[in-house]
Amino acid sequence: MKYNVDNKGFYGDFGGSYIPEMLFSNIDELRKNYLNIVNKDSFEKEFNYYLNKYVGRPTPLYYANRLSEKYRAKIYLKREDLCHTGAHKINNTIGQILLAKALKKKKIIAETGAGQHGVATATVCALMGMDCVIYMGEVDIQRQKPNVERMRILGADVRPALSGSKTLKDATNEAMRHWINNPDDTHYIIGSVVGPHPYPDMVARFQSVISKELIYQLNKVENRNYPDFIIACVGGGSNAAGIFYHYLENSKVNLIGVEAAGLGVSTNKSAATTKLGKKGVLHGSKTLLMQDENGQVTEPYSISAGLDYPGIGPLHAHLFNSKRCEYLSVEDDEAMNAGIELSRLEGIIPAIETAHAFSVFDKLNIKGKIVVINLSGRGDKDLETYIKWGKY
Ligand SMILES: *Cc1c(COP(=O)(O)O)cnc(C)c1O
């Protein structure tokens, strides 16, 4: 399996586990146990139970009739927006909280940028009766008030990160510090396919339920279990990893990842990692990373808070390097227009992250082809951003 993680935690040149010594025992405990736990029948049964009864899976594979007509392709939408809490993120938090329980952990910590992963984490902590501490940059707390209050309603303790730029990477540092000081009873839930091994592989496995469902759903309607194209937006890359997962080795499927170019790759307001990034280490893994000439991580920008990340997960760095997946980057306005188009043609207002994936039809040769787009989340959380943008 040349696109999956090797036993040292690498995807080709990328991945690994670059962590301070103080975190070694926590990560090592996870690394040693995660496969045994998630491969147990009893784990799989419980995971599937919650995905089915609580999250609402399987999510529909919806044939987008009017969108298909417009672009002269057969376009299907994988409706992750219909998951409980409004996006794919909960697939992973359900998996990780069950893993935490199996490891006899009592407390959960997480970091969040826009608040979506924080909400998905606070939700499963309430579900399982676990203590929940969420670190969030002070600046993000001001910008994302509704999600902060959602987490508090769910019983989470939202703690501000006051250092650095007071955004996501500072929240991540605080969460790591917390974990170092509470190694025995605490599990750290990371929200995307990033971080030290085994996180990228663990999160990809939990999200792979998306492509697992796609195989039989597509088979039913197309008599063929694979599409010609799969398109997904990429922040850290978890929704893309989930819908690519079972097709990585099938070279008939064109995999397309869509990054946020922000105001443009030639401005310094962008988050297009494959265009602008270089090899580096962030949050415990070697990957592609936006950095200045001194190797300092630069502040990313995108109109969508969930794509506003200076790197991509090591799996994606490898898929990019090996050319297995093509990465496109689209600017704020292109994504916003695509979000409006989906709203008008199909009656679905997408999350702005997701809207990026809908803006690349004209850049691809999809006429007459079967195309599946991962509709990673719904736009309710983004109403204010749509309103502020205003061109509709
Ligand atoms: C968080 C988020 C993303 C970006 O995260 P990935 O790990 O790249 O999937 C994309 N879409 C939605 C709706 C999100 O909430």
Side-chain angles (χ1 to χ4, degrees):
M1 297 284 273
K2 64 183 186 198
Y3 299 110
N4 270 330
V5 78
D6 68 20
N7 56 15
K8 295 210 169 69
F10 279 86
Y11 300 86
D13 290 341
F14 303 101
S17 183
Y18 298 83
I19 48 169
E21 201 178 325
M22 306 283 279
L23 272 180
F24 183 82
S25 62
N26 301 55
I27 300 285
D28 206 45
E29 182 188 21
L30 258 189
R31 183 186 61 78
K32 282 189 187 135
N33 291 298
Y34 83 109
L35 286 179
N36 286 338
I37 293 171
V38 304
N39 287 331
K40 272 199 187 117
D41 285 348
S42 55
F43 183 94
E44 218 167 287
K45 209 167 149 194
E46 201 177 8
F47 184 43
N48 287 331
Y49 172 83
Y50 284 106
L51 289 181
N52 179 227
K53 304 288 184 197
Y54 188 73
V55 174
R57 305 203 72 91
T59 58
L61 181 68
Y62 168 71
Y63 182 71
N65 201 32
R66 299 186 67 211
L67 202 61
S68 295
E69 245 166 48
K70 173 155 186 192
Y71 292 100
R72 306 216 183 114
K74 295 176 97 172
I75 301 178
Y76 289 91
L77 314 182
K78 185 62 175 147
R79 298 291 309 272
E80 295 301 297
D81 60 316
L82 297 178
C83 290
H84 178 46
T85 68
H88 66 289
K89 286 201 171 69
I90 194 148
N91 302 326
N92 169 50
T93 58
I94 293 268
Q96 283 203 49
I97 201 136
L98 295 177
L99 184 78
K101 269 200 345 183
L103 290 169
K104 311 246 182 311
K105 305 294 181 185
K106 301 276 179 284
K107 297 176 179 168
I108 297 294
I109 54 168
E111 85 299 327
T112 194
Q116 292 304 109
H117 174 56
V119 169
T121 301
T123 299
V124 297
C125 287
L127 176 68
M128 297 295 168
M130 296 244 223
D131 273 6
C132 180
V133 174
I134 306 284
Y135 288 95
M136 190 168 182
E138 171 71 13
V139 168
D140 290 331
I141 287 181
Q142 298 308 323
R143 286 196 289 209
Q144 310 287 341
K145 277 261 184 296
N147 273 343
V148 174
E149 296 314 316
R150 254 176 220 130
M151 289 183 258
R152 289 187 171 140
I153 288 169
L154 290 161
D157 175 3
V158 182
R159 297 191 189 164
L162 301 165
S163 62
S165 53
K166 303 182 174 65
T167 58
L168 179 60
K169 73 174 167 19
D170 313 291
T172 306
N173 292 339
E174 291 294 329
M176 296 246 178
R177 204 164 301 148
H178 181 124
W179 206 22
I180 288 171
N181 293 325
N182 302 270
D184 295 331
D185 62 351
T186 303
H187 175 68
Y188 179 14
I189 299 189
I190 291 182
S192 190
V193 285
V194 301
H197 178 65
Y199 278 100
D201 183 49
M202 195 164 73
V203 177
R205 282 168 188 265
F206 291 142
Q207 292 293 358
S208 74
V209 63
I210 302 172
S211 54
K212 189 172 146 199
E213 290 171 2
L214 180 55
I215 287 172
Y216 69 76
Q217 289 175 322
L218 203 57
N219 210 19
K220 234 184 237 171
V221 287
E222 290 291 342
N223 237 333
R224 196 177 108 176
N225 65 17
Y226 65 93
D228 299 303
F229 287 86
I230 299 177
I231 307 175
C233 66
V234 175
S238 69
N239 86 88
I243 198 162
F244 293 171
Y245 196 86
H246 290 95
Y247 296 104
L248 288 171
E249 310 288 331
N250 182 346
S251 59
K252 289 187 219 124
V253 184
N254 294 288
L255 304 177
I256 311 291
V258 186
E259 295 183 319
L263 298 184
V265 289
S266 57
T267 68
N268 55 13
K269 293 253 175 206
S270 183
T273 306
T274 63
K275 300 284 181 305
L276 300 168
K278 292 192 294 270
K279 215 182 259 186
V281 171
L282 179 68
H283 299 150
S285 74
K286 193 190 282 179
T287 190
L288 289 173
L289 193 56
M290 289 172 28
Q291 48 194 303
D292 64 19
E293 59 282 3
N294 299 317
Q296 293 297 308
V297 176
T298 55
E299 210 42 50
Y301 164 82
S302 162
I303 192 168
S304 97
L307 300 185
D308 190 344
Y309 185 71
I312 47 176
L315 164 66
H316 290 286
H318 181 50
L319 294 177
F320 172 71
N321 234 24
S322 60
K323 300 192 163 64
R324 171 65 189 94
C325 175
E326 183 182 357
Y327 292 84
L328 303 172
S329 49
V330 303
E331 296 182 11
D332 286 355
D333 271 353
E334 297 175 87
M336 296 305 285
N337 283 320
I340 301 299
E341 180 177 80
L342 183 66
S343 304
R344 303 268 161 101
L345 286 180
E346 300 290 345
I348 299 168
I349 304 174
I352 293 172
E353 292 85 357
T354 315
H356 285 70
F358 282 84
S359 65
V360 298
F361 300 132
D362 287 332
K363 301 176 202 251
L364 298 167
N365 210 348
I366 60 167
K367 291 232 165 69
K369 304 289 188 192
I370 299 172
V371 180
V372 176
I373 305 171
N374 204 17
L375 216 175
S376 59
R378 54 182 177 242
D380 305 30
K381 69 182 178 63
D382 293 322
L383 215 56
E384 214 170 295
T385 310
Y386 275 109
I387 295 166
K388 225 186 254 167
W389 180 72
K391 296 174 223 164
Y392 53 84

